[in-house]
Amino acid sequence: MNKVILMGRLTRDPEVRYSSGENQTTIARYSLAVDRRRGKNDDQPSADFINCVAFGRSAEFAEKYFRKGQLVGVIGRLQVRSWEDKEGKKHWTTEVIIEEQHFAESKAAAEQGRKDTGEGKAAKE
C-alpha cells in the first residue's frame, strides 16, 4: 500500500504549469513544511519539507485557493523519480502525488497567520 497523509504549511504559492499536447493538463507543484515531533530534550522546532504535485482539477484548485503560509492537509501517494541532466549526472526526487487536498484552518486563521508573519502586509501594498 502506498498512501501518504500530511498536514503542513505551504512554503510558497503553488507553481502552475500546463502539459503540452492535445489534452493539456494543469500541473501544480508546491511544498509543505511538516512539523516533526520534538523529543524531551529538543527545544528547537524542526520540519520536513515535502514536495507535492497535483494534476487537473486538484491543480486548478491549488492555484486558485492555496497561498504561502496556509495550513493544508493532503492525501496522496509517494513517488520517486529520476532523470539525467545535460552533463549525464543522475538526479532523484521524492514527491507526493496528490489525490485529495483540504484546508486545515479557517480563512480568518490563515489571514491572521499571514499578518503575524508580515505576508499580508506585502500583499496589500
Side-chain angles (χ1 to χ4, degrees):
M1 180 187 298
N2 183 352
K3 188 65 91 175
V4 176
I5 302 170
L6 300 169
M7 188 175 345
R9 295 208 177 268
L10 291 159
T11 62
R12 57 185 162 82
D13 289 351
E15 176 185 312
V16 178
R17 296 185 181 178
Y18 302 90
S19 66
S20 58
E22 260 181 58
N23 299 322
Q24 278 194 340
T25 300
T26 308
I27 304 165
R29 294 181 179 278
Y30 54 87
S31 180
L32 291 181
V34 179
D35 288 337
R36 290 186 189 171
R37 287 198 169 173
R38 292 185 243 175
K40 291 179 184 177
N41 299 328
D42 191 7
D43 295 351
Q44 298 298 319
S46 61
D48 291 307
F49 297 89
I50 312 294
N51 294 321
C52 300
V53 184
F55 294 94
R57 295 186 78 135
S58 292
E60 293 168 8
F61 180 88
E63 177 183 31
K64 188 172 182 178
Y65 297 110
F66 284 1
R67 295 291 171 257
K68 178 180 177 179
Q70 233 173 355
L71 185 65
V72 299
V74 298
I75 300 172
R77 63 182 169 82
L78 202 59
Q79 177 175 288
V80 179
R81 60 185 177 88
S82 65
W83 71 96
E84 285 189 20
D85 63 17
K86 294 176 183 175
E87 290 82 42
K89 185 177 177 185
K90 196 164 197 168
H91 298 270
W92 294 85
T93 189
T94 303
E95 52 202 7
V96 175
I97 305 302
I98 300 300
E99 296 168 358
E100 296 178 37
Q101 53 193 0
H102 307 277
F103 297 112
E105 65 185 348
S106 69
K107 186 174 181 180
E111 288 175 2
Q112 184 61 44
R114 282 197 291 276
K115 284 181 188 176
D116 291 345
T117 61
E119 291 290 325
K121 192 185 253 186
K124 291 180 183 176
E125 293 176 356

